[in-house]
């Protein structure tokens, strides 16, 4: 699991986090290249802001939680957060037999910050 806060998009005050998530993308591409001949796929999911208990705790820890929530939502092109279920559905698809039909190495499903749309799929192909 990576993040759009990585080599995909720079985010203020997230230098260390973004660097480690960019490393996950690089590792994914390397593993995909190393094992393509064996038919092994390697995928990396890079969501934007996902509505999780951790996010809710961070919002509630702010002096003005309503303003913090509003600030997070303003960054989302769709006006809402991604859900864990949406991310899980992408993971299920990436692990499915249907996924092997794709042969491009990298595909950014959307450049936006919206739910389920800020997902990058890195695939070795078959």
């Amino acid at each position: 699991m990576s993040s759009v806060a990585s080599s995909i998009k720079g985010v203020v005050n997230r230098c260390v986090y973004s660097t480690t998530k960019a490393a996950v993308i690089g590792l994914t591409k390397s593993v995909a290249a190393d094992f393509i001949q064996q038919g092994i796929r390697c995928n990396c999911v890079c969501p934007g802001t996902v509505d999780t208990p951790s996010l809710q705790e961070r919002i509630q820890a702010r002096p003005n939680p309503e303003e913090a929530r509003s600030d997070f939502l303003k960054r989302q092109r769709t006006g809402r957060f991604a859900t864990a279920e949406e991310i899980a559905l992408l993971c299920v698809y990436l692990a499915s037999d249907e996924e092997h039909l794709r042969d491009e190495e990298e595909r950014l499903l959307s450049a936006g910050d919206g739910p389920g749309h800020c997902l990058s799929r890195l695939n070795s192909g078959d």
Side-chain angles (χ1 to χ4, degrees):
M1 185 69 63
S2 187
S3 172
V4 293
S6 60
S7 55
I8 296 172
K9 178 181 178 181
V11 179
V12 175
N13 297 323
R14 302 291 280 180
C15 180
V16 173
Y17 177 86
S18 297
T19 300
T20 60
K21 293 302 185 173
V24 170
I25 293 171
L27 176 64
T28 301
K29 288 181 179 185
S30 294
V31 169
D34 286 347
F35 293 98
I36 189 171
Q37 296 303 315
Q38 289 89 348
I40 297 171
R41 298 183 320 247
C42 186
N43 298 289
C44 180
V45 177
C46 305
T49 306
V50 180
D51 192 358
T52 63
S54 173
L55 174 65
Q56 294 305 317
E57 288 172 12
R58 290 189 343 226
I59 288 172
Q60 292 305 314
R62 298 278 179 92
N64 184 339
E66 286 183 30
E67 183 179 335
R69 181 177 174 74
S70 175
D71 289 344
F72 272 106
L73 285 171
K74 286 177 190 172
R75 297 189 317 205
Q76 315 310 309
R77 290 187 181 182
T78 60
R80 68 177 186 87
F81 299 125
T83 66
E85 290 79 13
E86 290 169 317
I87 306 307
L89 287 172
L90 177 64
C91 292
V92 168
Y93 170 73
L94 291 174
S96 73
D97 289 338
E98 288 80 22
E99 172 51 22
H100 81 280
L101 299 174
R102 299 189 185 267
D103 62 0
E104 64 270 15
E105 181 159 316
E106 179 177 359
R107 182 168 177 235
L108 184 61
L109 297 180
S110 173
D113 283 335
H117 301 291
C118 296
L119 304 168
S120 177
R121 185 189 50 57
L122 308 171
N123 182 18
S124 67
D126 292 313

